[in-house]
């Protein structure tokens, strides 16, 4: 068992050293350029993403649109971790009744109504928006 463990450590060390030495040699030859500085994120959307475009369009409107979810108004000013399982299911029920195109608008509606999504639902919404 010790021999196997020592062998794995030695193999890992050899791999690390060979990679490190290879990078140093390529850097000397000029094959590797220095990494460019990371630009700070733009305050405005670049417009290249469907989500950004939808978000910009929704933010232009200050009109609250209800998606047959008036019952969620009772959760105004709740924190994302304050919800119990039944309350989370209420949000989930509304979310899964929406069409894909309506999700971004629903998110904007909740934002205008000062209703924060439960943390358990946020990842589901992001997944639905990205796919």
């Amino acid at each position: 068992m010790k021999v196997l463990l020592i062998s794995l450590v030695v193999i890992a060390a050899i791999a690390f050293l060979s990679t490190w030495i290879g990078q140093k040699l390529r850097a000397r030859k000029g094959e590797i350029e220095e990494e460019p500085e990371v630009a700070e994120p733009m305050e405005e959307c670049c417009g290249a993403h469907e989500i950004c475009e939808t978000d910009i369009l929704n933010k232009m409107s200050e009109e609250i649109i209800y998606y047959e979810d008036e019952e969620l108004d009772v959760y105004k000013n709740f924190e994302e971790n304050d919800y119990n399982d039944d309350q989370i299911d209420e949000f989930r029920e509304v979310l899964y009744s929406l069409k894909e195109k309506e999700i971004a608008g629903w998110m904007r509606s909740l934002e205008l109504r000062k209703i924060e999504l439960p943390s358990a639902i946020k990842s589901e919404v992001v997944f639905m928006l990205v796919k």
Side-chain angles (χ1 to χ4, degrees):
M1 184 67 174
K2 286 183 180 181
V3 173
L4 180 61
L5 185 59
I6 292 171
S7 314
L8 289 174
V9 170
V10 169
I11 291 171
I14 291 171
F16 172 77
L17 286 174
S18 64
T19 303
W20 182 73
I21 291 171
Q23 286 180 344
K24 291 291 183 184
L25 291 175
R26 279 185 261 139
R28 281 192 183 149
K29 291 181 181 178
E31 291 178 10
I32 298 177
E33 296 179 14
E34 291 185 28
E35 292 183 23
E37 292 183 26
V38 178
E40 292 186 26
M42 297 172 51
E43 289 186 28
E44 295 291 323
C45 178
C46 63
H49 305 91
E50 184 177 330
I51 295 171
C52 295
E53 291 168 2
T54 304
D55 199 31
I56 287 173
L57 293 174
N58 287 333
K59 288 193 179 196
M60 287 182 193
S61 170
E62 293 297 318
E63 178 186 353
I64 296 175
I65 300 171
Y66 283 89
Y67 293 83
E68 297 182 24
D69 64 345
E70 294 82 5
E71 70 275 6
L72 299 180
D73 284 341
V74 298
Y75 303 119
K76 182 178 182 175
N77 297 321
F78 269 52
E79 295 292 322
E80 68 181 69
N81 295 319
D82 291 346
Y83 298 100
N84 64 35
D85 289 340
D86 292 332
Q87 294 166 331
I88 292 171
D89 286 338
E90 286 184 56
F91 280 89
R92 194 171 275 131
E93 186 176 314
V94 173
L95 173 63
Y96 287 104
S97 70
L98 297 172
K99 296 176 184 166
E100 260 185 64
K101 295 181 278 184
E102 297 176 323
I103 295 173
W106 180 62
M107 297 291 297
R108 178 65 180 155
S109 173
L110 292 176
E111 181 181 326
L112 290 171
R113 291 157 48 195
K114 297 186 180 12
I115 300 171
E116 192 163 336
L117 274 177
S119 57
I121 299 292
K122 283 185 179 180
S123 60
E124 294 175 38
V125 170
V126 169
F127 177 74
M128 292 173 84
L129 284 173
V130 173
K131 72 174 186 172

